Structures are given as structure tokens and as C-alpha cells.
């Protein structure tokens, strides 16, 4: 909306030349930003290395506070007022911590690899580095104007070769590691090779390690490495020309960026074995001070479930399933494989078995034709689509039958797209009587059902009469016995579900056809992209296709210069296409002669690039030690800033602020990388981020014309409760703020109109930090007027002289001051900045009404508001006669004697009705209060000589007298 209140005008300047105006705010803010930069005010010393301060006292003994914002991406559109919400909040808290004696590390870097810059390069021909660095420079300038107290020496960008050299180095640590389940930690791959060589660990397949070729050794180690390349089902997006992680695919099976269709395809890709850390990623959430909602999202995403692995024989082969309900094995009347399952081709017979129902064949003449047609249809859907559309059951019979291991009965094997290779084994045993999904499939294909869990709702044991499956743990097993009394017999009837699960699992284990196991929903992390603008892999291949990790001395592998940045894209619906990477065009870079220790040889470089998540998986370490060229982080500095303590047993940054949308992406990936580095001895901390706080969002009204298109919000007029743009009616709706919605408000606009301190104060006062709130430009003036009143309480607007007095403050003023200080301190520590602002405004208004401001009070008020409005606070502090910055001044501390009220009001009730109000001391006892109440004339009159049966005293605020 275009209606605003001007911050100042020419008349103000003429009559009050020293009034706090937008012009004066701009001058003050620019000057103090220059001073902070020149004097290195916010430089945080390290205990060791280049950033150690010889003049500082023992830094290692000083309490620290490592405060982080989630990595921003430097957009070409610049910032709108919604973006700095979290940055301002962390700056307020960082300034508060400094004033409480902490050594504060607070900086900001830029997550600058990724698709947007690459797409811009494709459109304009501008190299991604050029546009990205320009965007970073613009964003830095916008953030500087807000007065953020960052340590600029520690700021990094992921596109800096000196930064991604260490990203590549960490990748090599992961590549050269394996997870030892017995030790429950990562170990160097060289130790695994040594065990294969000396025979202490058997080589898979039983051959001697020395008898394997280089290619065979490569394949064996690939099954252990924490980073490995393998042909896997992936989300292939022809419209973008790249593969996507599951998290980058929307609920309707399209790419999050560009909204292109996504298909399943088997491609050779780099993977991270994050699944090895599933249990630890869940267990260590208990070490963290994170919102419970985020912890729950991570637990659900990892998806730990206990059950059993069961083998169903199909001829000479076994189909292995994972089930959480092995107690229902007797009820398994058919099986379903994912269409991509590698056993499908092996079990499909040449012709349909006699008696095959027409509905099972999909109308195909042979099982092979039916399977091929169904696979093609399934490949055109993403995992998300297959799950969403699972209400309509589709599938085809493979023509094969498996043997139920407990009953010995043959069960038909189907393929269906609701079964995914991404969970469990890609095969299920179907128990339609006790699983809703299986019940619907069985009804659709007229498959048999068997009740094996006794219904407790009176429905009987015949599933043919049921409307849905009966699914419960609170019952007993029925119809579940075979060869009872024989050596291989099993009987579960009458057992509880829990006892039956234990019994059948033991029976399966004893016969080598199953075992108890744990399964996870989490899949290994797809770690390669077919893009130009990303970190190259430090991997080369020899003439036999064997991969080799580059030595540390050859890092970084820099992104080469190419003429065409674009990935090879296809028709968005061409599901049969395959990726071609932009880097493969740089033949001079791809083919390279290297000496990797056995003489110069020709190699080919890996031409995939890392995903945009890579650089943000470890940036907290580089903030700590940004210029260390010898190691990823100095151990002394890492222990100081991130090391475990009694308060944070897993270690990590003291505060991490960002959006909740990163719950299962960045946060999970960063935790995984950090744990690998911990296992290998590179860091002392187990976790990267101890305390997580999710800030809300600043929303804005969106105005749409009759076509539904957004119109410029700033040009909309309101008339009589209706909204108009260029004379035409438009509809208003709540929404996000953004350039595409034409409702973005730049922070520079507000700073020009009112000053950056006003913007900071307004954003912090809009509501609780963790709650979304609507932007209202018209309301900004309220914060501006508070700062004007604060200024007037200390500076004469006409002369610029101080108006504070040297009087001693009276008791009422001291009480107002110390109550405000006490409340604001609690709010600051709890990140409740909106209520801190309210208390500061209340105190300032008290001083306005008082008519004068004692110097001692003025100084405390200035220090109290300094974290919120640092520029005006610095200026007032200087005018009050202080030569040093207040950034390290002691934050005010309340005197408890003035925080407690001198008297409180006690209500006295007689027979439930208020008869008197007494002013009493807060420390009065129950007995003293009772005596005082009974002696009060109004109470005596109310009792009127009646017998007092009972007196209930709750000092200091209530007395209840019962007469009778």
C-alpha cells in the first residue's frame, strides 16, 4: 500500500535542527558503521592461529558465544524486508552477549553455488562467478546498512576455490572411509584394505584380496565406502537436465525448481552412505536444544522400525522382505515387488501359468510383456506420485509364485508401483486381512485373504464379509499353525502379538530363512548433479575405469572455463533420456595427465558436480578458522568454539537461527558430515549446532487482478474497504513477500525513510520471533517515534546540547528503571525481543512524563536499548561523554531491591465477597496478614459480630474469611 507517514520534513529541520530525523539517522548510522569497520569492533579473537589476538587476555578461558544464521543464497533480486528478520535477531542477541562479557563469533557467509546462477548464465552469457560475486557485493552492502555486527574477516563464499578446496578435502575423507558397525564409527578405508590383505576380514565372495583385479577391488570397496558411485534408481528431470534428490521433488512429482516432471531412471550416481549413521542421527537428537517439532521431523524422516527379514523362496532364488509384523506371516497370501526390483526379470516365466485370471495380466499375452508395459508406466511417475496415487491400486502378476515360509503354501508374486525400492527391500509380503493398503489391492485383484489376528470388534474371522482390514496390536493370533508338534512345525495360536513376533522370528532365525532386524526409511543421499556451477569431484578414472582419489596436494580441482554453461536438457516428458554434463564439454580439462605415485598416466576427470548442499554442510568450521591453509580447522579453535561442555554435551554452535523448511535437508546432511569428521578425529564436537531456533516469516498482502495476476502492492489504493489498482478493483490475499508477487519492500526504502535503527526496532517488535507476522509499512512510524522520544530525553532538538540532569533519581524512577532492566534481560536471553522493545518503550514513556532524565538513568537506558538500536545508542553514549564504543560496555543489571514492589494489594473476601483491599509488604506472612485483615474496620463491619469459622490466608495477595 502506498500510504505512509513521512519521517521528517523541511519545517522540522528549520525549527529543530537537531531532531532525530531520517537524515540525521542516516548520518549517524553511516558514521558508526565506518567506525566499527575501521576499529574492528566485532572482531572475535581465536585462541590460536591467524585470528588470535596477542593483546587479548587468555581467550581460551573467556566464555564464548558462537551465533550463526543459516547460509543465505545471494539472489540477484537483492533483499526484501523479510530476509533480514533472522539476521537482525541474531545481531541483537550477539550484541547482548558481548555486553555480558562473552567472546562472540558472529559472521555471515554466502552459499553461492547452485542452479539460479547457472540458469542466469545460460540466459545472458554472464559467467556464474561474475553474477554471483556481484550479488554478494550487493547483499553485503544492504546488510552493512542494517548495522549488523559481523566479523568480516570470517565471511566466506562457497565459490571461493580456497573454500571449496576444503569441501573437496572433506569429500575425500568421506570417500576414504567406511563405517565399522562393531566400533559404531567411521574408520579409514586403508584399515579395511589391511584387514582384507591380512585375512582378518573375509573378502566378499571368499576370494583372496591379492587375487582381485583393480576393477574388482574397486567394486568391493564401493560396497563399504561412505561415498560411492553406483547405478541406482534416481529422480531424473529431463527439463532441467539433471537428477534430483527426493527432497527436491514436490508432492505432485515435479521439480521444486522449474516445476518440470520428474521420472524414475537407473543411472550411475555418486551417493553418500548417510544410512550408516541412522541410529546415531536419531539418538544424538537427545543431546540438542532444538524445537521438538524439528526433532520429530528428523526422526520420522529417518524412520526407524524394528521387525524381521524373511526369505520367500521362488524356485532357486529367494525374495527377501522386511516386515514389522512377522506375527502375521500365516496371513501372507500374495507378494508385491517394486517394478524396478532386480529379481523381476529372473522370475518371470515364458507363459502365463494355467488358470491365471485375466484381471492379473494387464491384458498382455505373456508375463514379460505385462511386466515391460507396467514398468514403463511406473517409470513415468516419481516416488511421491506413486505413494499419492496408491489409493487406486494398479499392478500385474509376474507369472511366478513364491512359497510362504511358515505355511508352505504358494503365493502369487505381483509388481505394483505402490511398492518402492527406496524403502526396505523393495518387496513386501501382503497380509490383506490386516493391512489397509494390501486389503484394497486384494479386493481390486480378487486375491485371497486369511484372518490371523483375532478381531475384537465383533466382525468375525471371515475377511470376505469385511469392509476394511482389521489392524491392531491389542489382540491374539489365530489360524496360524503348521505341522504342529513336528521338528519344523510352528504354532502361534493364542499368543499375543508381541509374543508371536518373538516366536516366529526365533523360528525363522533357527532355520536360516530370516532374522530380527531394524529398517530405516532414510535412503542414502544422492550426491551428484549434472550441472556446471558446482564443486567438481576430486576423482579421476584410469583406462580401466578404476576410480582414484586425488591427493590433497592437487586440491582444489577448480571449475573450468567453458563456452556453454547449460546442462543438456530434453523435452520435459522424455523419460528415456539420459544426462550429459556441461563439464564433459571441456575436453582439455576432462582428459588429464597426472602422476598419482606410479608415474605419469592419462586419466579422465569425474564430470558430475556436487549438489548445492555440499558447501553448507561444514561452513561452521570455516567460520572458526577461515584462513588456515594447513587444516580444515585448528583443533584448539574448534574445541573452544564448538567443543562439548556440560551445558552442550554434543558440542556445536551456541545458537543457530533459520527457517524450519531445512529440517530434513541441510540440517540432516550437516549432522552426517560432522559426525564423520568427529569419528576420524578432525573435530571434538559430535554435533554442529547445539541450539536451533526457527524464526517465523514476514508475510505481506498480495493484490491480484481479475486474471489472478499480482499487481504492484505499493500502487494499490484503498477506498471504502475496497482495493483498486489503476482504477480497477483487485482482490487482497495474505501471502509471502517476494519479487514475483510484486509486494516486496526493500530494506533500503525503509532505511531511507526512517533509518536502519527504526527498521531493526520495528522488525523485532512485530511479534514473537518464531511466529510469522504481516508487514505493515504504515506501522513502522511507531518505532521511529520511540527513537525520537528517546533522543529528546537526552538531546535538545534546538541546540544539540544534553538535557540530562545531574540529580539523583528518586525511588519511583529507580523502581521503573530496574524493573525494566530485569524484564528486558530475561527477554533478551529468551529471544523475546518484541516484549523487550515494549518494556523499553514503557520506561522511556515514564521518563517523558517525569519531565527530566537523570544522567545515571539515561546511561542505563541507552545501554539497555543498544542491542536493538545500536547506531543511535552509540551516538547517545558518545554524547554522554564516553570515548569508547558501548559494544563491550556492561549490560545493565537490575538491583533486586528495586525490582520487588514496595507494597502489594491484598484482597480480603468475607463469604466470597470483596470487602477490603489492603496495601501490605510483599514479605508479609500468612499469620500477619490474617491478623491485619481481621482488624480492618471494613472487615469488622462486614463480619458484624458473626462467628468466624475459618480464615484462609494466601500471603501476600488474598484473605478469605468464612463466617457462620
Amino acid at each position: 500500500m502506498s500510504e505512509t507517514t513521512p519521517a521528517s520534513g523541511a519545517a522540522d529541520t528549520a525549527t529543530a535542527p537537531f531532531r532525530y530525523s531520517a537524515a540525521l539517522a542516516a548520518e549517524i548510522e553511516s558514521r558508526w558503521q565506518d567506525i566499527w569497520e575501521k576499529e574492528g569492533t566485532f572482531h572475535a579473537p581465536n585462541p590460536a592461529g591467524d585470528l588470535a589476538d596477542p593483546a587479548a587476555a587468555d581467550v581460551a578461558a573467556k566464555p564464548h558465544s558462537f551465533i550463526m544464521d543459516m547460509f543465505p543464497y545471494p539472489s540477484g533480486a537483492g533483499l526484501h524486508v523479510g530476509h533480514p528478520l533472522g539476521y537482525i535477531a541474531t545481531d541483537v542477541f550477539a550484541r547482548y552477549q558481548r555486553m555480558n562479557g562473552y567472546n562472540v563469533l558472529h559472521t555471515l557467509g554466502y552459499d553461492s553455488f547452485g542452479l539460479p546462477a547457472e540458469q542466469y548464465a545460460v540466459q545472458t552469457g554472464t559467467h556464474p562467478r561474475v553474477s554471483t560475486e556481484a550479488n554478494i557485493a550487493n547483499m553485503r552492502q544492504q546488510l552493512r546498512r542494517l548495522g549488523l555486527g559481523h566479523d568480516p574477516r570470517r565471511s566466506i563464499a562457497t565459490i571461493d576455490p580456497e573454500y571449496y578446496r576444503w569441501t573437496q578435502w572433506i569429500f575425500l575423507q568421506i570417500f576414504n572411509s567406511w563405517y565399522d558397525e562393531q566400533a559404531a564409527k567411521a574408520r579409514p578405508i586403508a584399515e579395511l584394505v589391511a584387514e582384507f590383505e591380512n585375512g582378518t576380514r573375509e573378502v566378499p565372495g571368499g576370494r583372496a584380496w591379492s587375487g582381485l583385479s583393480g576393477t574388482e577391488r574397486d567394486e568391493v570397496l564401493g560396497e563399504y565406502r561412505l561415498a560411492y558411485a553406483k547405478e541406482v534408481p534416481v529422480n531424473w528431470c529431463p527439463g532441467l537436465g539433471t537428477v534430483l534428490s527426493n527432497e527436491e521433488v514436490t508432492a505432485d512429482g515435479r521439480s521444486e525448481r522449474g516445476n518440470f516432471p520428474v521420472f524414475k531412471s537407473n543411472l550411475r550416481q555418486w551417493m553418500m552412505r548417510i544410512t550408516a549413521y541412522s541410529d546415531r542421527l536419531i539418538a544424538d537428537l537427545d543431546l540438542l536444544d532444538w524445537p521438538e517439532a524439528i526433532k520429530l521431523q528428523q526422526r520420522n524422516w529417518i524412520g526407524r522400525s524394528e521387525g524381521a527379514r524373511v526369505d520367500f523362496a521362488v524356485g532357486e532364488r529367494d525374495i527377501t522382505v522386511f516386515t514389522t509384523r512377522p506375527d502375521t506371516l500365516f496371513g501372507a497370501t500374495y507378494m508385491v515387488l517394486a517394478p524396478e526390483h532386480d529379481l523381476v526379470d529372473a522370475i518371470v516365466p515364458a507363459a502365463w501359468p494355467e488358470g491365471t485370471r485375466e484381471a492379473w495380466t494387464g491384458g498382455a499375452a505373456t508375463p514379460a510383456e505385462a511386466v515391460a508395459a507396467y514398468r514403463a508406466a511406473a517409470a513415468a511417475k516419481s516416488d511421491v506420485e506413486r505413494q499419492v496415487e496408491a489409493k487406486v491400486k494398479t499392478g500385474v502378476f509376474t507369472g511366478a509364485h513364491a512359497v510362504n515360509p511358515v505355511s508352505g503354501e504358494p503365493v502369487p508374486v505381483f509388481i505394483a508401483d505402490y511398492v518402492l525400492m527406496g524403502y526396505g527391500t523393495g518387496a513386501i509380503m501382503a497380509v490383506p486381512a490386516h493391512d489397509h493398503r494390501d486389503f484394497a489391492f486384494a479386493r481390486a485383484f480378487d486375491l485371497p485373504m486369511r484372518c490371523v489376528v483375532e478381531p475384537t470388534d465383533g466382525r468375525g474371522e471371515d475377511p470376505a464379509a469385511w469392509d476394511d482390514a482389521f489392524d491392531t496390536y491389542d489382540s491374539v493370533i489365530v489360524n496360524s499353525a503348521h505341522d504342529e508338534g513336528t521338528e519344523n512345525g510352528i504354532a502361534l495360536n493364542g499368543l499375543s502379538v508381541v509374543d508371536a513376533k518373538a516366536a516366529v522370528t526365533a523360528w525363522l532365525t533357527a532355520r536360516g530363512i530370516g532374522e530380527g532386524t531394524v529398517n530405516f526409511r532414510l535412503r542414502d543421499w544422492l550426491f551428484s548433479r549434472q550441472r556446471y556451477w558446482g564443486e567438481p569431484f576430486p576423482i579421476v578414472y584410469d583406462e580401466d575405469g578404476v576410480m582414484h582419489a586425488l591427493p590433497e596436494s592437487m586440491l582444489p580441482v577448480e571449475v573450468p572455463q567453458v563456452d556453454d554453461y547449460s546442462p543438456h536438457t530434453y523435452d520435459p516428458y522424455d523419460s528415456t533420456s539420459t544426462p550429459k554434463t556441461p563439464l564433459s564439454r571441456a575436453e582439455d580439462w576432462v582428459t588429464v595427465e597426472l602422476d598419482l605415485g606410479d608415474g605419469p598416466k592419462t586419466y579422465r576427470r569425474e564430470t558430475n558436480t556436487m549438489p548445492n548442499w555440499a558447501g553448507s554442510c561444514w561452513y561452521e568450521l570455516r567460520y572458526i578458522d577461515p584462513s588456515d591453509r594447513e587444516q580444515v580447522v585448528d583443533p584448539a579453535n574448534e574445541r573452544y568454539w564448538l567443543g562439548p561442555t556440560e551445558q552442550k554435551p554434543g558440542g556445536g554452535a551456541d545458537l543457530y537461527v533459520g527457517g524450519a523448511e531445512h529440517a530434513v535437508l541441510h540440517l540432516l546432511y550437516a549432522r552426517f558430515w560432522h559426525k564423520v569428521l568427529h569419528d576420524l578425529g578432525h573435530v571434538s564436537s559430535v554435533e554442529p549446532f547445539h541450539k536451533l531456533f526457527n524464526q517465523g516469516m514476514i508475510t505481506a498482502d498480495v493484490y491480484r487482478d481479475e486474471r489472478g495476476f499480482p499487481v504492484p502492492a505499493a500502487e494499490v489504493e484503498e477506498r471504502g474497504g475496497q482495493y483498486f489498482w489503476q482504477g480497477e478493483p483487485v482482490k487482497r490475499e495474505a501471502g509471502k513477500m517476494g519479487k514475483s508477487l510484486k509486494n516486496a519492500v526493500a530494506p533500503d526504502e525503509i532505511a531511507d525513510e526512517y533509518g536502519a535503527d527504526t527498521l531493526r526496532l520495528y522488525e523485532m517488535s512485530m511479534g514473537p520471533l518464531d511466529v510469522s507476522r504481516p508487514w505493515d509499512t504504515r506501522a513502522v512510524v511507531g518505532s521511529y517515534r520511540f527513537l525520537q522520544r528517546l533522543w529528546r530525553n537526552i538531546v535538545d532538538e534546538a541546540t544539540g546540547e544534553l538535557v540530562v540532569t545531574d540529580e539523583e533519581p528518586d525511588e519511583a524512577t529507580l523502581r521503573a528503571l530496574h524493573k525494566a532492566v530485569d524484564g528486558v534481560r530475561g527477554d533478551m536471553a529468551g529471544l523475546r525481543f518484541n516484549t523487550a522493545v515494549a518494556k523499553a518503550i514503557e520506561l522511556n514513556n515514564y521518563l517523558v512524563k517525569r519531565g527530566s532524565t537523570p544522567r545515571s538513568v539515561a546511561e542505563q537506558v541507552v545501554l539497555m536499548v543498544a542491542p536493538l538500536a545500536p547506531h543511535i545508542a552509540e551516538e547517545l553514549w558518545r554524547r554522554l561523554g564516553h570515548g569508547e564504543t558501548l559494544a563491550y560496555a556492561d549490560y545493565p543489571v537490575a538491583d533486586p531491591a528495586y525490582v520487588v514492589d514496595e507494597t502489594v494489594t491484598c484482597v480480603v473476601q468475607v463469604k466470597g465477597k470483596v470487602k477490603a483491599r489492603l496495601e501490605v509488604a510483599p514479605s508479609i506472612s500468612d499469620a500477619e496478614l490474617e491478623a491485619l485483615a481481621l482488624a480492618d474496620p471494613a472487615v469488622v463491619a462486614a463480619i458484624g459480630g458473626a462467628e468466624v469459622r475459618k480464615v484462609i490466608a494466601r500471603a501476600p495477595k488474598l484473605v478469605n474469611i468464612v463466617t457462620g
Side-chain angles (χ1 to χ4, degrees):
M1 297 290 289
S2 58
E3 182 184 348
T4 60
T5 303
S8 60
D12 291 340
T13 305
T15 58
F18 293 96
R19 173 169 294 171
Y20 184 77
S21 63
L24 180 57
E27 187 276 324
I28 290 172
E29 289 163 2
S30 177
R31 175 159 42 84
W32 277 103
Q33 288 159 15
D34 290 342
I35 291 172
W36 293 332
E37 184 175 314
K38 179 181 178 181
E39 297 182 355
T41 300
F42 306 113
H43 290 185
N46 275 348
D50 294 346
L51 299 188
D53 184 357
D58 184 8
V59 171
K62 189 174 183 179
H64 67 267
S65 187
F66 185 3
I67 300 168
M68 292 181 63
D69 302 276
M70 286 190 183
F71 235 2
Y73 182 82
S75 167
L79 298 177
H80 60 62
V81 292
H83 290 124
L85 176 65
Y87 307 149
I88 295 170
T90 53
D91 185 62
V92 171
F93 186 68
R95 289 173 178 274
Y96 172 74
Q97 291 290 80
R98 281 191 201 93
M99 296 176 74
N100 279 285
Y102 286 86
N103 183 19
V104 176
L105 194 169
H106 190 211
T107 192
L108 193 71
Y110 300 88
D111 192 10
S112 36
F113 275 122
L115 196 56
E118 182 172 304
Q119 290 179 326
Y120 183 76
V122 172
Q123 295 165 7
T124 66
T126 304
H127 193 282
R129 178 173 295 282
V130 174
S131 60
T132 302
E133 289 178 345
N135 294 343
I136 290 174
N138 179 57
M139 189 170 176
R140 277 190 169 133
Q141 181 58 36
Q142 286 186 291
L143 293 175
R144 184 183 189 273
R145 190 172 182 185
L146 297 176
L148 303 181
H150 294 154
D151 184 344
R153 305 169 304 166
R154 298 176 183 269
S155 181
I156 52 89
T158 56
I159 61 172
D160 181 355
E162 277 303 305
Y163 181 86
Y164 69 73
R165 166 196 178 192
W166 292 105
T167 305
Q168 293 170 341
W169 180 87
I170 294 173
F171 171 83
L172 290 178
Q173 306 311 300
I174 300 172
F175 174 76
N176 286 321
S177 300
W178 64 292
Y179 196 80
D180 185 340
E181 292 185 0
Q182 288 187 324
K185 61 178 291 187
R187 292 173 53 194
I189 200 75
E191 295 179 6
L192 177 64
V193 171
E195 292 182 11
F196 285 149
E197 288 177 337
N198 61 32
T200 57
R201 181 181 295 269
E202 183 180 355
V203 177
R207 296 173 62 189
W209 184 253
S210 59
L212 301 183
S213 67
T215 302
E216 290 170 330
R217 293 181 180 183
D218 202 29
E219 291 175 354
V220 169
L221 295 180
E223 296 299 317
Y224 288 86
R225 293 186 188 274
L226 289 177
Y228 62 96
K230 187 176 183 180
E231 187 169 286
V232 293
V234 297
N235 300 309
W236 165 235
C237 181
L240 290 177
T242 188
V243 299
L244 302 173
S245 69
N246 289 336
E247 298 84 356
E248 293 171 312
V249 181
T250 64
D252 57 353
R254 304 180 77 87
S255 63
E256 191 175 45
R257 180 169 294 279
N259 197 37
F260 293 107
V262 177
F263 304 94
K264 272 295 177 189
S265 182
N266 285 328
L267 300 172
R268 186 171 177 81
Q269 298 291 313
W270 279 98
M271 309 291 291
M272 288 274 181
R273 208 178 301 275
I274 190 174
T275 51
Y277 282 79
S278 296
D279 272 324
R280 285 173 59 183
L281 288 168
I282 291 176
D284 289 350
L285 287 170
D286 293 338
L287 304 175
L288 303 178
D289 183 6
W290 284 19
E292 283 304 317
I294 299 296
K295 290 184 178 182
L296 180 61
Q297 285 185 65
Q298 289 217 351
R299 290 189 182 103
N300 289 343
W301 190 261
I302 297 167
R304 188 182 194 276
S305 55
E306 295 184 5
R309 175 188 62 76
V310 185
D311 294 335
F312 284 69
V314 183
E316 299 292 322
R317 294 177 171 83
D318 287 332
I319 297 176
T320 301
V321 303
F322 169 80
T323 176
T324 59
R325 294 294 303 270
D327 55 298
T328 64
L329 255 172
F330 278 95
T333 56
Y334 66 96
M335 299 188 73
V336 182
L337 304 184
E340 306 87 357
H341 200 291
D342 56 9
L343 279 181
V344 173
D345 291 331
I347 64 174
V348 171
W352 293 114
E354 185 177 350
T356 298
R357 297 173 185 175
E358 181 67 24
W360 295 8
T361 67
T366 66
E369 292 176 14
V371 166
Y374 191 82
R375 277 177 160 174
K381 299 179 183 179
S382 71
D383 285 357
V384 177
E385 283 180 298
R386 286 163 62 169
Q387 291 171 305
V388 168
E389 296 178 5
K391 293 179 181 178
V392 180
K393 299 302 178 187
T394 65
V396 293
F397 179 40
T398 64
H401 286 81
V403 177
N404 185 312
V406 291
S407 68
E409 296 174 356
V411 295
V413 181
F414 282 72
I415 61 170
D417 59 11
Y418 75 88
V419 178
L420 307 175
M421 282 303 298
Y423 182 74
T425 64
I428 67 163
M429 64 174 214
V431 184
H434 306 292
D435 181 275
H436 301 288
R437 183 182 58 176
D438 296 344
F439 185 96
F441 191 92
R443 279 285 165 89
F445 288 90
D446 195 20
L447 287 157
M449 304 187 200
R450 174 182 292 155
C451 173
V452 295
V453 180
E454 184 176 45
T456 56
D457 55 3
R459 66 171 68 189
E461 295 184 10
D462 182 8
W466 297 356
D467 294 326
D468 198 359
F470 177 74
D471 182 11
T472 185
Y473 271 72
D474 189 19
S475 188
V476 297
I477 304 301
V478 295
N479 303 318
S480 297
H482 181 66
D483 288 344
E484 191 171 355
T486 67
E487 182 180 354
N488 287 320
I490 180 170
L492 304 177
N493 293 331
L495 295 179
S496 68
V497 168
V498 173
D499 290 342
K501 288 173 71 172
V504 74
T505 301
W507 187 88
L508 293 166
T509 303
R511 286 152 184 79
I513 54 175
E515 62 180 348
T517 188
V518 174
N519 195 56
F520 295 93
R521 178 178 180 269
L522 181 67
R523 298 295 90 194
D524 282 346
W525 174 15
L526 177 65
F527 195 72
S528 50
R529 298 293 185 272
Q530 292 67 51
R531 296 174 185 159
Y532 168 72
W533 195 230
E535 298 93 338
F537 284 90
I539 296 290
V540 294
Y541 300 87
D542 63 24
E543 60 184 7
D544 295 322
V546 176
M547 64 178 64
H548 299 267
L550 292 179
E552 186 177 338
S553 61
M554 293 185 181
L555 303 182
V557 178
E558 296 197 34
V559 182
Q561 181 69 45
V562 297
D563 296 327
D564 184 0
Y565 313 115
S566 60
H568 188 95
T569 58
Y570 301 85
D571 181 298
Y573 293 92
D574 183 2
S575 62
T576 62
S577 55
T578 55
K580 294 180 182 178
T581 63
L583 291 184
S584 63
R585 302 188 187 109
E587 186 57 40
D588 290 345
W589 178 84
V590 173
T591 303
V592 60
E593 187 173 279
L594 301 171
D595 186 349
L596 300 182
D598 53 356
K601 293 182 180 179
T602 300
Y603 297 90
R604 290 187 63 80
R605 295 190 188 275
E606 172 64 65
T607 59
N608 286 297
T609 54
M610 298 185 196
N612 58 302
W613 306 105
S616 61
C617 278
W618 71 280
Y619 67 118
E620 72 282 356
L621 299 178
R622 208 57 183 167
Y623 279 172
I624 291 172
D625 222 357
S627 55
D628 196 328
R629 292 187 55 81
E630 303 303 319
Q631 52 199 340
V632 68
V633 63
D634 187 300
N637 295 330
E638 187 274 334
R639 280 194 302 273
Y640 176 68
W641 291 110
L642 290 178
T645 65
E646 185 177 347
Q647 292 72 33
K648 48 178 190 178
D654 298 281
L655 177 64
Y656 194 34
V657 175
E661 65 272 16
H662 297 295
V664 295
L665 295 172
H666 156 64
L667 288 173
L668 201 59
Y669 299 156
R671 294 181 65 212
F672 164 56
W673 276 35
H674 204 87
K675 289 182 184 301
V676 176
L677 292 175
H678 171 78
D679 288 353
L680 298 177
H682 299 297
V683 296
S684 65
S685 43
V686 179
E687 291 281 344
F689 316 115
H690 171 66
K691 180 178 177 63
L692 175 69
F693 189 96
N694 296 130
Q695 91 274 9
M697 182 186 300
I698 289 182
T699 61
D701 287 335
V702 181
Y703 298 89
R704 298 184 184 274
D705 62 19
E706 60 181 5
R707 302 168 301 168
F709 292 171
V711 303
E715 301 174 12
V716 172
E717 298 177 353
E718 180 180 359
R719 297 198 299 267
Q722 302 294 313
Y723 301 95
F724 299 87
W725 178 67
Q726 296 182 348
E728 297 296 324
V730 293
K731 291 183 178 180
R732 184 182 70 166
E733 62 184 43
K736 293 183 178 181
M737 181 178 286
K739 183 179 179 181
S740 64
L741 296 175
K742 298 186 178 181
N743 62 356
V745 178
D748 296 5
E749 296 177 32
I750 305 302
D752 288 342
E753 186 75 13
Y754 300 102
D757 276 341
T758 293
L759 173 61
R760 290 172 59 107
L761 202 68
Y762 175 65
E763 294 214 1
M764 293 299 95
S765 66
M766 291 173 72
L769 184 59
D770 58 348
V771 175
S772 293
R773 73 292 306 271
W775 176 264
D776 185 359
T777 299
R778 293 170 296 182
V780 177
V781 70
S783 297
Y784 175 68
R785 287 171 179 159
F786 161 61
L787 294 181
Q788 286 185 313
R789 289 192 294 271
L790 174 65
W791 181 268
R792 281 198 300 269
N793 279 339
I794 298 174
V795 177
D796 188 291
E797 292 182 336
T799 66
E801 299 296 321
L802 291 177
V803 295
V804 296
T805 66
D806 290 327
E807 64 182 304
E808 288 296 321
D810 55 39
E811 185 169 327
T813 301
L814 288 173
R815 287 190 179 280
L817 171 65
H818 287 279
K819 282 186 177 181
V821 168
D822 182 62
V824 170
R825 285 192 73 97
D827 289 340
M828 288 285 193
L831 306 181
R832 298 184 298 273
F833 302 128
N834 61 316
T835 52
V837 172
K839 291 179 176 69
I841 291 174
E842 183 180 359
L843 175 61
N844 194 63
N845 289 343
Y846 172 87
L847 295 174
V848 171
K849 292 176 182 177
R850 186 181 187 278
S852 64
T853 304
R855 175 184 290 271
S856 60
V857 174
E859 291 187 342
Q860 295 294 290
V861 173
V862 168
L863 292 173
M864 187 172 67
V865 302
L868 294 157
H871 306 91
I872 190 173
E874 287 275 24
E875 184 68 14
L876 291 173
W877 189 248
R878 181 66 57 90
R879 287 173 179 255
L880 286 166
H882 300 277
E884 299 294 327
T885 174
L886 55 59
Y888 294 92
D890 291 338
Y891 199 81
V893 177
D895 185 337
Y898 292 110
V899 173
V900 178
D901 289 326
E902 188 175 8
T903 63
V904 296
T905 300
C906 174
V907 174
V908 183
Q909 296 178 333
V910 178
K911 298 177 72 173
K913 295 183 178 180
V914 176
K915 296 299 180 181
R917 287 182 170 83
L918 310 177
E919 294 299 315
V920 300
S923 58
I924 193 170
S925 68
D926 287 349
E928 292 170 330
L929 186 60
E930 178 180 338
L932 195 63
L934 291 173
D936 184 83
V939 174
V940 171
I943 294 173
E947 178 187 359
V948 176
R949 294 175 52 194
K950 189 175 184 180
V951 178
I952 303 170
R954 295 289 183 266
K957 292 189 175 183
L958 177 67
V959 176
N960 192 9
I961 300 170
V962 181
T963 62

